[in-house]
Amino acid sequence: MGWLFLKVLLVGVSFSGFLYSLVDFCINGKTTGQKPNIVIILADDMGWGDLGANWAETKDTANLDKMASEGMRFVDFHAAASTCSPSRASLLTGRLGLRNGVTRNFAVTSLGGLPLNETTLAEVLQQAGYVTGMIGKWHLGHHGSYHPNFRGFDYYFGIPYSHDMGCTDTPGYNHPSCPACPPGGGPLRKHERACYMDVALPLYENLHIVEQPVNLSSLAQKYAEKAAQFIQQASASRRPFLLYVALAHMHVPISVTQPLADSQGQRPYRAGLREMDNLVGQIKDKIDGTAKEHTFFWFTGDNGPWAQKCELAGSVGPFSGLWQTRQGGSPAKQTTWEGGHRVPALAYWPGRVPANVTSTALLSVLDIFPTVVALAGASLPQDRHFDGLDVSSVLLDRLQKGHRVLFHPNSGAAGEYGALQAVRLEQYKAFFITGGAEACDGSIGPEQRHDLPLIFNLDKDAAEGVPLQRSSAEYQAVLPQVRKVLTDVLQDVANDNVSSVDYTQDPSATPCCNPYHIACRCQTA
């Protein structure tokens, strides 16, 4: 308890309006050679086709496209799950949900979070001498010891979960649309099931709620400013740093600054995409002006677009999941179709990552953990198995060898949460269960189990439209290999040190800076 009290005290210290664990800076502030700084930016609900460098129809990502021309673009890169919390848990642990325990999303009232016996990337780098900061959406538990400040991050500024999980006075664009927070007095208004009205969305700086409800129209600029401050102060400490930025874009509600939206005359999604691109550009410019040659920059997404949001959802590009669309429902977010988990990805490190290279290696968000640990000269925890690979050779030496096999867990559309019932084997993809998430028209694809799996050759059928004939020689050659790798990974998980998540909920876990005011309103600090 003494350590916990000290940590609470330290993260609450304010220095020029910028809250930090000052002991980490001052006592341990020593030069650590040429360990690279690490910047990871994670977009939310961004489609593969939302990146202009991937899909010529997209014209709204000038900064990201420039980064692609100056670095490496990955065209076969996958989220480890196709919904928020499981994907983020895998990024920070390098392990699938069956191992780290996180197989579905956490709620506003969740008591638990990413299990405390799981070691995060931030904790590993913290032990290796890094200053660690996180800005943006956490969604891995906010109650008690599950808060980011207790999971390896010296500094945190952001929202504890998705920004549609609390009301705001600037509700932005959603489908269905949601009203602003009740101003006070009288009973709460009736609202759509998808709208949260009882509690306003909170904004944290370390352990303190500094704004509730969050002003969504200014959130992107606040993130840019806090990122720049962190980069500047961490660089001045002469220690390497990890900055993890988990954007609100492109999740609904979409809220963009008015001049940006109006000047382009664009629909809200495109305007939001441009705002996100501008935010990433600001962070990159700060890196380029501060520590360009010593900073490795990774940009990717947590899952594919949320199709049920209609015109407020992004583009899957050519990965349209045609087999599923014919059955009904969406083949994007929450599903194991390519549109649900194939995401944009870029790497940038001038002088180290070659410029203007497109990699076709089969890679995953799972690879970020072991790769960054290797680049930092740190060591992986030895008491558990990892699903990610160290892909330094892909990044630095242009090798095209990534995974031979990836597993895509069920993320809400069909089957048990976290179950590995879609298997990628080289260019082939096998489905033991199929199902579609809710589509824009309200349809939901039925869950179907396939004792003999559907197998697609993605090299010839990126749209996953026509599975191989089960009687074909190609199918018969691939089937036993798919079954074997699935059996092997399930046996490996059974023999591993796996974690269990507390998904219980209690109203006492709800973040609230003023329980005596309707919707928990409080003044902006």
Side-chain angles (χ1 to χ4, degrees):
M1 287 299 294
W3 172 87
L4 181 60
F5 174 78
L6 178 62
K7 184 73 173 179
V8 169
L9 178 65
L10 292 175
V11 296
V13 175
S14 176
F15 177 67
S16 299
F18 196 41
L19 292 116
Y20 268 116
S21 171
L22 295 183
V23 167
D24 287 342
F25 271 100
C26 300
I27 295 178
N28 297 323
K30 54 188 178 183
T31 303
T32 54
Q34 290 298 307
K35 290 184 178 182
N37 306 313
I38 306 294
V39 176
I40 300 166
I41 297 187
L42 186 72
D44 199 340
D45 289 4
M46 182 182 181
W48 187 93
D50 287 337
L51 178 67
N54 281 347
W55 197 237
E57 295 178 13
T58 300
K59 308 293 184 184
D60 304 298
T61 56
N63 289 293
L64 287 169
D65 296 345
K66 183 173 183 288
M67 188 188 303
S69 69
E70 296 173 341
M72 187 173 290
R73 177 171 63 101
F74 306 98
V75 294
D76 204 355
F77 194 95
H78 299 264
S82 55
T83 195
C84 299
S85 296
S87 182
R88 292 155 201 275
S90 290
L91 186 158
L92 289 176
T93 65
R95 287 153 54 87
L96 286 164
L98 283 186
R99 301 185 198 270
N100 66 42
V102 182
T103 57
R104 54 190 173 92
N105 288 339
F106 294 103
V108 173
T109 54
S110 286
L111 290 171
L114 177 66
L116 300 178
N117 58 307
E118 288 292 323
T119 302
T120 70
L121 176 61
E123 289 168 329
V124 173
L125 294 195
Q126 204 174 49
Q127 290 297 312
Y130 276 68
V131 181
T132 57
M134 184 194 166
I135 293 170
K137 170 180 165 180
W138 175 239
H139 215 170
L140 291 174
H142 52 272
H143 186 63
S145 298
Y146 297 101
H147 186 280
N149 282 134
F150 302 126
R151 305 313 304 270
F153 290 101
D154 298 314
Y155 176 72
Y156 173 61
F157 182 86
I159 56 178
Y161 32 69
S162 298
H163 62 291
D164 67 340
M165 294 173 64
C167 65
T168 72
D169 293 335
T170 53
Y173 300 91
N174 204 339
H175 181 78
S177 59
C178 290
C181 286
L188 292 176
R189 294 166 288 179
K190 296 291 183 182
H191 52 272
E192 295 277 353
R193 180 179 58 85
C195 299
Y196 291 74
M197 295 299 296
D198 296 344
V199 179
L201 181 70
L203 178 65
Y204 278 84
E205 187 156 32
N206 291 319
L207 299 176
H208 305 289
I209 295 175
V210 295
E211 187 174 274
Q212 193 170 11
V214 177
N215 183 344
L216 291 181
S217 64
S218 62
L219 187 60
Q221 190 54 40
K222 287 178 181 175
Y223 283 175
E225 291 168 359
K226 294 297 184 181
Q229 287 179 326
F230 178 85
I231 292 165
Q232 186 66 43
Q233 295 195 23
S235 298
S237 75
R238 301 183 65 198
R239 293 172 57 197
F241 63 81
L242 164 69
L243 176 60
Y244 168 41
V245 182
L247 304 175
H249 302 79
M250 295 300 300
H251 200 290
V252 293
I254 294 173
S255 180
V256 296
T257 55
Q258 202 64 31
L260 181 62
D262 287 349
S263 64
Q264 301 300 324
Q266 297 172 337
R267 66 185 180 96
Y269 190 88
R270 288 192 62 189
L273 197 57
R274 290 174 69 91
E275 182 179 77
M276 181 203 72
D277 182 72
N278 181 62
L279 170 55
V280 175
Q282 289 184 65
I283 296 173
K284 178 179 175 290
D285 287 347
K286 183 63 179 179
I287 289 294
D288 285 349
T290 306
K292 183 174 183 177
E293 291 79 16
H294 304 297
T295 303
F296 173 64
F297 198 123
W298 209 324
F299 174 89
T300 188
D302 69 336
N303 48 249
W306 200 358
Q308 77 179 73
K309 297 300 178 177
C310 302
E311 75 279 2
L312 302 178
S315 167
V316 296
F319 306 106
S320 52
L322 289 178
W323 189 93
Q324 183 59 59
T325 58
R326 289 192 289 266
Q327 311 293 314
S330 157
K333 178 180 177 176
Q334 299 180 314
T335 79
T336 53
W337 299 96
E338 289 294 289
H341 53 76
R342 191 182 289 231
V343 290
L346 304 171
Y348 171 76
W349 188 2
R352 298 297 305 276
V353 172
N356 201 26
V357 171
T358 298
S359 172
T360 58
L362 178 58
L363 302 180
S364 168
V365 163
L366 292 159
D367 304 328
I368 291 176
F369 185 108
T371 303
V372 167
V373 168
L375 293 174
S379 299
L380 292 173
Q382 296 300 303
D383 60 345
R384 66 204 63 189
H385 298 172
F386 293 88
D387 297 292
L389 302 175
D390 172 10
V391 295
S392 301
S393 60
V394 177
L395 293 164
L396 307 180
D397 302 323
R398 304 193 189 201
L399 296 186
Q400 294 294 333
K401 185 177 180 181
H403 292 261
R404 177 174 177 261
V405 178
L406 280 181
F407 301 95
H408 302 299
N410 294 327
S411 297
E416 181 183 353
Y417 280 103
L420 306 180
Q421 288 165 323
V423 181
R424 174 74 181 271
L425 174 69
E426 297 175 339
Q427 75 267 37
Y428 296 100
K429 187 173 174 189
F431 291 83
F432 290 88
I433 288 184
T434 54
E438 184 176 341
C440 175
D441 63 5
S443 67
I444 297 176
E447 178 179 309
Q448 298 183 50
R449 296 179 180 267
H450 308 278
D451 292 332
L452 287 174
L454 302 180
I455 300 179
F456 297 86
N457 183 335
L458 296 180
D459 281 354
K460 299 178 180 178
D461 185 14
E464 294 169 302
V466 182
L468 301 178
Q469 290 290 328
R470 291 188 171 104
S471 60
S472 69
E474 188 176 15
Y475 183 96
Q476 294 298 322
V478 174
L479 178 61
Q481 298 180 62
V482 167
R483 284 179 164 163
K484 182 180 187 306
V485 296
L486 182 56
T487 299
D488 288 349
V489 74
L490 293 176
Q491 184 62 53
D492 188 70
V493 170
N495 295 332
D496 194 12
N497 180 10
V498 299
S499 298
S500 179
V501 170
D502 177 8
Y503 274 111
T504 59
Q505 299 183 37
D506 190 282
S508 66
T510 303
C512 185
C513 63
N514 183 359
Y516 301 105
H517 199 291
I518 192 166
C520 292
R521 285 183 177 274
C522 62
Q523 295 294 319
T524 301

